């Protein structure tokens, strides 16, 4: 009889779409723990793998000839096994978002782990900072703020609730302070507890990281670690290991941190939970916010979703009538009883189409400068002119590789495609007819900056100095550190007027801003994307929240939010006037309910890509019939829509199409996807000329 050995089933990342593999089998002489990292060979290349099952055997598994059963190359014993809870999270993600567990695990683990050996891991651990102190947090000057009664009752409600809470607090209501106290309470109660705090983009909130470090500095140097894409591979691995081995107590991270291995996780906070960047846009497209809720549920620990403008999904989930939903906790007042800024709506129909800055707004800005305040101007378009146009022959500056215009940038006098990055010299005459009258249509941040510099050249501040302007957009913060240094410069008052794209509207705690203006927000009102109004409302509320934050402002002027629009009667602005998120949300939800849009239906998109225009769409046309047949035999109602090119049909030379499936039951939709995979996935794999295909579950836009 053959001597016994062990068969480890291992998740490895195989190139996408070789099927949703369960894993591969390898032999090993000893039993391996579930969750153990190993190195295994596929073909002749070594891969990092995760053991998800291990059984003793005397022969190779059925269907696999004994000589083909390879051995595990190396067991990475220097990294303790991942928990079964972590494996379940990976498995759930793979299943729900229709990817292989190996691919999800590869995304979740630090890249450097793939090249690490036991020796390198040991060395790394020895260089580590001393272990975090398990002592409870010491009183810290910043922790001695007295909570307002509203904050106090929000904190009590959070502590008392074991499930998911939606902390809905006005901008400046002190939500951060409330969840920091909650974290403190959790850490004090359990000297080994770990807390995960997720934020949309760490770069945009450097203040938060500093605040968390200061608040919890008594826990020791490695107690607070960050996990985000700005880290070097070595830093990311170090921080990941600190979390995995329980040394780190607070993990502050962006969307991928939802997969951090946290053996003593006791609380998850998702700040700005509505932010679209929690949804991964490529590879395994997942919603980190939704997975955070899943993870909390799985562990039976509280999850706090915080926002001034929650996603309509979370708002709907926290409606009083939903018994199994989230607990909604409101904090409507701002700190220091500061009122929300007044809304001033300027009807731009009264001016010529070319007007970018109304006289009234110009005067209002001047008044702020005279009062030694700062001004924030929001324009969500970078560059100089969004499109060039020839009136003689109607030529427009289309990107040859994308369904989009190339944008004129004046800094280098080139046309830039913001989607594929293509840059070409800006033509001086029409490339099509040779005409000399090429016009720039619309205005971007560069042009507004130029115009403002011109208009403000004669202005003086109360101290006699000239007025300074600063522009902040993806072009000015390209280099590492520029974003932080520019934000700091504005905080310190080195500029009086800051003009920028949405990055200037995020959660910054500017103290001297009295006026915020959105110069041209209309694009979000009538977009083909049904989520555009929701995003615009959130952006404008956030932007408004940057005004009048300091309770001790010396200025006698009331804080104001200005909107320049051609649609002054739009319901979005009516609700914005009263900072009435709830009213807006109820209106939008009602509209979505009546026409059957999320969160009242669940969506799955099958997306295809091809070099030539036809294969992407034709492949979906062939799938359409299969989907219909499957949908008819499925339980519950499913709607299969006709395939269409994506709204940006071409991107970087690749043609893209999509097929949308909808159901009012998540369960039916999941059952459908499972059945589709079993029956139809193979047929798509045989399509000629198809570059890629993938499901996008709960897509962020359709
Ligand atoms: P939010 O996150 O809700 O927009 P923040 O947490 O940034 O609000 O708080 C707004 C401001 O109020 C911050 O400067 C914060 O330090 C301050 N703050 C919060 N809570 C208190 C409090 N209880 N007493 C005094 N100041 C507070
Ligand atoms: Zn022309
Ligand atoms: Zn392009």
């Amino acid at each position: 009889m053959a001597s016994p050995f062990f068969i480890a089933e291992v998740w490895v990342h195989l190139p996408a779409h070789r099927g949703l593999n369960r894993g591969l089998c390898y032999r090993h002489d000893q039993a391996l723990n579930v969750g153990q990292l190993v190195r295994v060979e596929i073909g002749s290349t070594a891969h990092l793998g995760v053991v998800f099952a291990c059984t003793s055997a005397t022969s190779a598994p059925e269907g696999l000839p004994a000589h083909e059963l390879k051995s595990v190359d190396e067991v990475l014993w220097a990294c303790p096994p991942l928990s079964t809870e972590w494996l379940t999270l990976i498995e759930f993600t793979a299943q729900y978002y229709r990817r292989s567990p190996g691919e999800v695990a590869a995304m979740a683990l630090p890249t450097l782990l793939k090249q690490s050996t036991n020796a390198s891991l040991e060395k790394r651990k020895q260089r580590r900072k001393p272990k975090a102190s398990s002592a409870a947090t010491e009183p810290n000057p910043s922790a001695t703020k007295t909570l307002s009664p509203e904050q106090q009752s929000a904190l009590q409600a959070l502590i008392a609730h074991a499930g998911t809470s939606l902390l809905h607090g006005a901008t400046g209501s002190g939500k951060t302070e409330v969840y920091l106290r909650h974290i403190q309470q959790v850490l004090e109660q359990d000297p080994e507890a770990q807390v995960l705090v997720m934020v949309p983009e760490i770069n945009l909130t450097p203040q938060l990281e500093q605040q968390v470090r200061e608040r919890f500095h008594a826990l020791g140097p490695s107690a607070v670690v960050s996990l985000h894409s700005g880290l070097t591979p070595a830093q990311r691995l170090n921080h990941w290991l600190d979390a995995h081995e329980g040394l780190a107590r607070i993990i502050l991270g962006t969307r991928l941190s939802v997969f951090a291995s946290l053996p003593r996780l006791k609380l998850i906070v998702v700040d700005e939970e509505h932010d679209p960047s929690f949804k991964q846009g490529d590879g395994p497209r997942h919603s980190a916010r939704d997975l955070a809720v899943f993870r909390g549920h799985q562990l039976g620990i509280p999850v706090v979703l915080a926002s001034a403008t929650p996603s309509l999904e979370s708002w709907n989930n926290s409606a009083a009538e939903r018994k199994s939903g989230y607990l909604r906790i409101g904090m409507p007042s701002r700190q220091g009883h500061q009122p929300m800024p007044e809304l001033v709506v300027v009807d731009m129909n009264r001016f010529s189409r070319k007007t970018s800055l109304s006289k009234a707004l110009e005067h209002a800005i001047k008044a702020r400068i005279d009062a030694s305040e700062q001004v924030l101007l929001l324009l969500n378009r970078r560059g100089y002119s969004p499109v060039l146009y020839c009136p003689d022959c109607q030529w427009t500056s289309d990107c040859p590789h994308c369904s989009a215009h190339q944008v004129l940038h004046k800094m280098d006098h080139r046309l830039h495609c913001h989607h594929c990055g293509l840059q070409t010299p800006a033509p001086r005459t029409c490339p099509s007819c040779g005409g000399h009258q090429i016009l720039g249509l619309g205005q971007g941040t560069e042009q507004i900056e130029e115009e403002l510099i011109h208009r403000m050249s004669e202005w003086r501040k109360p101290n006699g100095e000239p007025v300074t302007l600063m522009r902040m957009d993806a072009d000015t913060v390209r280099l590492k550190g520029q974003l932080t240094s520019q934000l700091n410069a504005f905080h310190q008052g080195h500029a009086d007027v800051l003009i920028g794209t949405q990055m200037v509207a995020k959660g910054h705690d500017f103290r001297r801003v009295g006026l915020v203006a959105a110069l041209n927000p209309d694009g979000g009102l009538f977009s083909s994307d049904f989520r555009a109004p929701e995003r615009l409302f959130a952006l404008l509320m956030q932007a408004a929240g940057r005004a009048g934050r300091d309770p001790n402002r010396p200025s006698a002027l009331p804080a104001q939010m200005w909107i320049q629009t051609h649609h002054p009667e739009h319901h979005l602005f009516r609700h914005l006037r009263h900072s009435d998120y709830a009213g807006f949300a109820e209106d939008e939800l009602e509209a979505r309910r009546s026409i059957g849009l999320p969160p009242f239906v669940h969506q799955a998109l099958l997306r295809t890509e091809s070099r030539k225009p036809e294969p992407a769409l034709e492949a979906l046309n062939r799938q359409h019939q299969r989907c219909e047949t499957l949908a008819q035999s499925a339980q519950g109602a499913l709607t299969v829509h006709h395939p269409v090119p994506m709204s940006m049909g071409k991107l970087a030379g690749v043609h893209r199409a999509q097929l949308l499936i909808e159901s009012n039951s998540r369960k039916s939709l999941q059952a459908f996807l499972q059945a589709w995979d079993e029956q139809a996935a193979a047929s798509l794999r045989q399509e000629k000329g198809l570059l890629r295909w993938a499901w996008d579950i709960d897509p962020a836009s359709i």
Side-chain angles (χ1 to χ4, degrees):
M1 200 177 107
S3 58
F5 55 90
F6 290 86
I7 292 183
E9 291 176 71
V10 180
W11 285 335
V12 278
H13 178 25
L14 293 175
H17 305 311
R18 277 214 223 144
L20 299 179
N21 60 310
R22 276 282 296 151
L24 298 176
C25 292
Y26 290 86
R27 68 171 285 163
H28 194 64
D29 295 340
Q30 280 127 33
L32 287 169
N33 282 317
V34 166
Q36 179 64 57
L37 293 175
V38 290
R39 205 174 311 282
V40 294
E41 210 172 70
I42 304 171
S44 54
T45 38
H47 285 254
L48 182 70
V50 184
V51 175
F52 69 90
C54 188
T55 45
S56 75
T58 48
S59 62
E62 222 172 291
L64 187 67
H67 66 275
E68 282 189 20
L69 182 66
K70 292 187 184 177
S71 294
V72 168
D73 279 356
E74 189 186 4
V75 178
L76 282 180
W77 47 259
C79 181
L82 292 147
S83 65
T84 51
E85 170 265 321
W86 189 86
L87 297 178
T88 313
L89 173 69
I90 299 300
E91 212 160 17
F92 171 81
T93 308
Q95 163 96 22
Y96 186 83
Y97 293 102
R98 311 312 305 167
R99 312 299 289 214
S100 75
E103 186 181 9
V104 176
M107 170 184 70
L109 296 169
T111 24
L112 200 55
L113 205 47
K114 292 166 196 138
Q115 295 137 36
S116 299
T117 58
N118 284 317
S120 73
L121 285 171
E122 282 297 306
K123 220 173 181 175
R124 196 170 285 285
K125 287 201 239 174
Q126 277 157 18
R127 282 202 303 261
R128 193 148 46 198
K129 293 179 197 143
K131 187 180 182 325
S133 141
S134 63
T137 47
E138 278 167 17
N140 175 298
S142 60
T144 54
K145 276 187 200 128
T146 320
L147 292 187
S148 68
E150 207 174 88
Q151 284 176 313
Q152 192 64 46
S153 62
L155 178 61
Q156 293 312 331
L158 284 180
I159 291 174
H161 187 60
T164 302
S165 307
L166 178 64
L167 181 59
H168 174 226
T171 50
S173 61
K175 288 183 293 296
T176 316
E177 186 61 36
V178 171
Y179 73 66
L180 288 179
R181 300 278 179 122
H182 190 191
I183 293 171
Q184 190 171 343
Q185 189 263 351
V186 168
L187 296 183
E188 275 169 3
Q189 206 170 51
D190 173 349
E192 300 210 299
Q194 294 179 302
V195 176
L196 173 62
V197 182
M198 289 165 53
V199 293
E201 287 156 90
I202 260 176
N203 289 332
L204 289 178
T205 46
Q207 287 172 316
L208 180 65
E209 187 170 352
Q210 195 186 341
Q211 200 179 348
V212 172
R213 284 192 192 286
E214 276 170 18
R215 175 67 59 95
F216 297 103
H217 85 111
L219 291 175
S222 50
V224 179
V225 300
S226 59
L227 279 176
H228 54 85
S229 58
L231 302 176
T232 64
Q235 283 171 326
R236 182 162 168 225
L237 178 54
N238 290 345
H239 294 185
W240 185 88
L241 284 170
D242 282 349
H244 177 50
E245 297 190 70
L247 299 180
R249 307 286 306 284
I250 301 176
I251 291 77
L252 187 61
T254 47
R255 63 173 177 256
L256 272 183
S257 66
V258 76
F259 295 113
S261 160
L262 295 160
R264 309 206 175 271
L265 184 59
K266 290 291 178 306
L267 169 67
I268 306 177
V269 177
V270 185
D271 199 2
E272 310 292 1
E273 68 90 31
H274 63 280
D275 199 292
S277 71
F278 283 121
K279 171 91 187 192
Q280 170 108 341
D282 51 14
R285 294 163 182 266
H286 60 277
S287 157
R289 182 213 40 229
D290 294 351
L291 288 176
V293 172
F294 169 82
R295 207 170 173 182
H297 194 74
Q298 176 197 20
L299 292 170
I301 61 168
V303 176
V304 179
L305 307 178
S307 176
T309 51
S311 62
L312 290 180
E313 280 78 5
S314 299
W315 187 254
N316 187 52
N317 249 321
S318 66
E321 67 273 13
R322 289 184 69 111
K323 289 193 185 63
S324 59
Y326 309 160
L327 173 69
R328 189 186 294 170
I329 303 169
M331 297 208 313
S333 334
R334 293 180 114 187
Q335 280 301 311
H337 304 291
Q338 285 294 100
M340 283 305 286
E342 262 173 37
L343 189 76
V344 183
V345 176
V346 182
D347 181 356
M348 296 301 277
N349 295 303
R350 303 189 346 245
F351 308 105
S352 99
R353 277 263 158 198
K354 281 193 184 145
T355 311
S356 52
L357 195 71
S358 59
K359 271 278 166 223
L361 178 55
E362 185 180 334
H363 288 148
I365 297 174
K366 179 88 173 46
R368 299 291 159 168
I369 302 290
D370 292 342
S372 300
E373 289 196 329
Q374 289 176 306
V375 171
L376 198 64
L377 302 178
L378 184 67
L379 182 66
N380 235 350
R381 278 176 167 181
R382 66 191 167 89
Y384 194 83
S385 290
V387 51
L388 287 188
Y389 167 72
C390 169
D392 296 336
C393 74
Q394 269 80 63
W395 170 86
T396 49
S397 55
D398 299 345
C399 174
H401 307 309
C402 304
S403 327
H405 297 304
Q406 275 186 286
V407 176
L408 174 68
H409 282 246
K410 212 165 181 182
M411 54 172 183
D412 54 5
H413 210 74
R414 288 168 85 81
L415 295 176
H416 293 225
C417 174
H418 291 179
H419 302 280
C420 71
L422 177 76
Q423 293 188 16
T424 46
R428 304 204 180 262
T429 54
C430 172
S432 168
C433 75
H436 286 275
Q437 305 195 53
I438 295 193
L439 304 173
L441 299 185
Q443 281 151 327
T445 46
E446 271 187 344
Q447 191 170 153
I448 293 289
E449 180 188 31
E450 187 181 274
E451 189 175 332
L452 283 171
I453 290 175
H454 177 70
R455 289 209 206 186
M456 299 186 330
S457 58
E458 302 294 313
W459 295 8
R460 289 292 173 271
K461 294 197 271 187
N463 64 6
E465 287 175 9
V467 175
T468 47
L469 190 91
M470 192 164 116
R471 173 167 65 91
M472 233 178 105
D473 55 32
D475 295 317
T476 71
V477 299
R478 196 138 281 168
L479 301 178
K480 202 173 153 73
Q482 275 181 326
L483 185 91
T484 320
S485 66
Q486 289 186 20
L487 281 174
N488 283 341
F490 189 65
H491 271 287
Q492 288 158 15
H494 297 322
D496 307 295
V497 179
L498 175 62
I499 160 126
T501 51
Q502 56 183 346
M503 65 175 71
V504 302
K506 298 281 160 131
H508 315 297
D509 197 9
F510 298 130
R511 307 304 283 184
R512 275 181 48 221
V513 171
L515 184 152
V516 177
L519 300 183
N520 181 10
D522 287 353
L525 294 176
F526 304 103
S527 161
S528 61
D529 179 355
F530 70 88
R531 284 196 174 88
E534 176 184 354
R535 296 208 179 115
L536 178 61
F537 191 81
L539 176 66
L540 295 178
M541 283 279 277
Q542 274 296 325
R546 301 314 103 210
R549 291 178 74 83
D550 184 358
N552 306 313
R553 290 165 66 226
S555 170
L557 301 171
Q560 286 180 333
M561 169 82 198
W562 284 59
I563 304 280
Q564 299 191 135
T565 175
H566 288 94
H567 307 278
E569 303 304 327
H570 198 282
H571 82 103
L572 192 148
F573 301 131
R574 193 176 72 238
H575 292 300
L576 192 64
R577 181 175 298 284
H578 304 110
S579 302
D580 183 12
Y581 167 79
F584 170 78
E586 297 305 334
D587 270 13
E588 273 303 293
L589 282 173
E590 204 35 60
R592 292 214 197 155
R593 191 197 302 271
S594 68
I595 46 177
L597 284 172
F600 304 103
V601 299
H602 303 281
Q603 301 180 320
L605 270 186
L606 180 56
R607 309 161 57 128
T608 48
E609 296 185 358
S610 56
R611 285 264 167 233
K612 294 212 178 97
E614 301 82 18
L617 201 55
E618 283 170 7
L620 289 184
N621 280 331
R622 283 185 278 275
Q623 286 303 315
H624 183 246
Q625 192 50 49
R626 281 176 194 278
C627 288
E628 291 245 278
T629 313
L630 263 179
Q632 274 154 19
S633 59
Q635 300 213 328
L638 286 149
T639 311
V640 180
H641 293 264
H642 280 279
V644 287
M646 283 178 57
S647 59
M648 179 172 281
K650 195 175 154 203
L651 176 68
V654 171
H655 294 267
R656 309 160 352 132
Q658 64 182 38
L659 185 158
L660 173 66
I661 319 269
E662 293 181 315
S663 172
N664 51 16
S665 148
R666 210 186 276 281
K667 224 167 135 191
S668 308
L669 186 59
Q670 281 290 321
F672 167 88
L673 293 168
Q674 178 76 41
W676 181 89
D677 249 8
E678 283 159 16
Q679 295 185 20
S683 67
L684 209 45
R685 254 170 253 138
Q686 281 153 15
E687 286 282 349
K688 294 214 166 34
L690 211 56
L691 282 178
R692 275 179 293 271
W693 61 269
W695 283 102
D696 186 355
I697 313 300
D698 305 329
S701 60
I702 56 166

